[in-house]
C-alpha cells in the first residue's frame, strides 16, 4: 500500500518532534543542533527546516506538545473524582507531579521561559493547564465551596505557586512536602461551612 505525501509529511513531522523532544529533554535547548535532530530522525536538514523553520520553531512545537500533554494529565487526574474540591486537589497534584518528569522539567519549566520569553510561555500556559485551573476555580466559587471572589487573580496566584513548586520539585524538591503544603494552601481557600 502506497503512503500518501500527506502521511509522509505527518510521519516526518512526528519523527522530528519525537527526536527533538528527546534531545531537548536530555541536553537542554542550547546544546541541541537541528541538523543532528534531523539526521537522528532519518530525514534531511532541509526537511527539518521545511517543517519548523528553525531550531526555535521545533522547540516551540515541542513545548506546545509537552504543555498539551500536561494539561491532559491534569484534566484526567481531576476527572477521576466526582467532588469539585477533590477535582481541584487531584489536578493540582498532577501538575506538581509533572515536575518529576525530566522532559517537563527541562523543556517546559527551565528552557521555555528563557527561550520563548515570558509572555509567549505564559500565553502557552494559559491555553493548557492555567485554563483548566481557572475553570475549576470558577466551578468551586459557583458552588459556594470557595468564597465568592474574582477568579482571575486567584487563578494567577495559584498558577504561579504551582509553577514555582513544580520547578522546585524538578530541581530536587520533595514532592510529598509540596503536596502537603498545597493542601494547606488550598484549605485556606475554602468558604466557612
Amino acid at each position: 500500500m502506497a503512503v500518501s505525501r500527506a502521511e509522509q509529511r505527518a510521519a516526518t513531522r512526528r519523527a522530528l518532534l519525537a527526536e527533538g523532544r528527546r534531545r531537548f529533554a536530555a541536553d537542554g535547548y542550547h546544546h541541541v543542533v537541528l541538523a543532528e535532530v534531523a539526521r537522528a530522525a532519518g530525514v534531511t536538514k532541509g526537511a527539518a527546516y521545511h517543517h519548523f523553520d528553525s531550531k526555535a520553531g521545533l522547540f516551540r512545537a515541542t513545548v506546545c506538545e509537552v504543555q498539551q500533554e500536561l494539561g491532559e494529565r491534569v484534566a484526567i487526574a481531576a476527572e477521576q473524582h466526582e467532588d469539585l474540591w477533590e477535582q481541584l486537589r487531584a489536578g493540582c497534584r498532577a501538575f506538581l507531579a509533572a515536575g518529576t518528569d525530566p522532559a517537563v522539567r527541562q523543556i517546559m519549566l527551565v528552557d521555555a521561559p528563557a527561550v520563548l520569553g515570558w509572555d509567549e510561555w505564559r500565553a502557552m500556559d494559559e491555553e493548557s493547564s492555567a485554563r483548566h485551573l481557572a475553570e475549576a476555580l470558577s466551578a468551586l466559587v459557583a458552588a459556594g465551596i470557595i468564597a465568592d471572589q474574582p477568579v482571575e487573580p486567584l487563578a494567577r496566584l495559584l498558577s504561579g505557586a504551582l509553577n514555582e513548586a513544580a520547578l522546585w520539585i524538578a530541581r530536587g524538591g520533595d514532592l510529598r512536602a509540596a503536596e502537603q503544603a498545597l493542601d494547606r494552601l488550598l484549605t485556606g481557600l475554602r468558604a466557612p461551612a
Side-chain angles (χ1 to χ4, degrees):
M1 181 164 81
V3 176
S4 73
R5 291 183 65 76
E7 290 170 325
Q8 188 176 23
R9 281 192 300 272
T12 297
R13 182 177 171 81
R14 281 192 308 275
L16 286 164
L17 273 168
E19 183 61 21
R21 180 178 182 151
R22 186 185 75 70
R23 288 182 182 235
F24 289 132
D27 303 330
Y29 176 82
H30 296 292
H31 299 288
V32 172
V33 176
L34 188 57
E36 293 173 5
V37 171
R39 188 171 31 260
V43 301
T44 66
K45 185 169 77 169
Y49 280 102
H50 172 75
H51 284 279
F52 298 104
D53 294 330
S54 64
K55 178 174 85 167
L58 175 60
F59 182 72
R60 185 174 288 106
T62 303
V63 172
C64 283
E65 183 179 82
V66 170
Q67 282 195 317
Q68 186 173 28
E69 289 172 10
L70 178 54
E72 289 168 6
R73 276 193 235 173
V74 167
I76 288 168
E79 290 166 0
Q80 301 302 310
H81 301 274
E82 294 281 328
D83 180 74
L84 291 175
W85 184 257
E86 290 305 315
Q87 287 177 359
L88 175 68
R89 285 185 68 236
C92 289
R93 284 172 170 253
F95 186 86
L96 288 181
T100 63
D101 179 332
V104 171
R105 176 184 50 79
Q106 187 64 46
I107 294 169
M108 194 180 93
L109 298 172
V110 175
D111 285 341
V115 173
L116 302 176
W118 180 254
D119 290 336
E120 184 174 358
W121 181 77
R122 284 298 301 145
M124 293 170 90
D125 186 49
E126 289 288 327
E127 289 301 312
S128 58
S129 54
R131 180 176 46 85
H132 293 297
L133 178 59
E135 290 168 359
L137 292 171
S138 293
L140 287 161
V141 168
I145 298 168
I146 292 178
D148 189 23
Q149 61 188 289
V151 169
E152 185 173 352
L154 179 60
R156 289 183 183 278
L157 284 166
L158 191 50
S159 177
L162 287 166
N163 282 328
E164 282 297 315
L167 186 55
W168 177 72
I169 292 163
R171 291 186 173 148
D174 183 346
L175 174 60
R176 183 149 169 73
E179 289 174 338
Q180 291 169 345
L182 172 69
D183 282 341
R184 287 189 296 274
L185 178 69
L186 293 177
T187 298
L189 298 175
R190 290 195 78 139

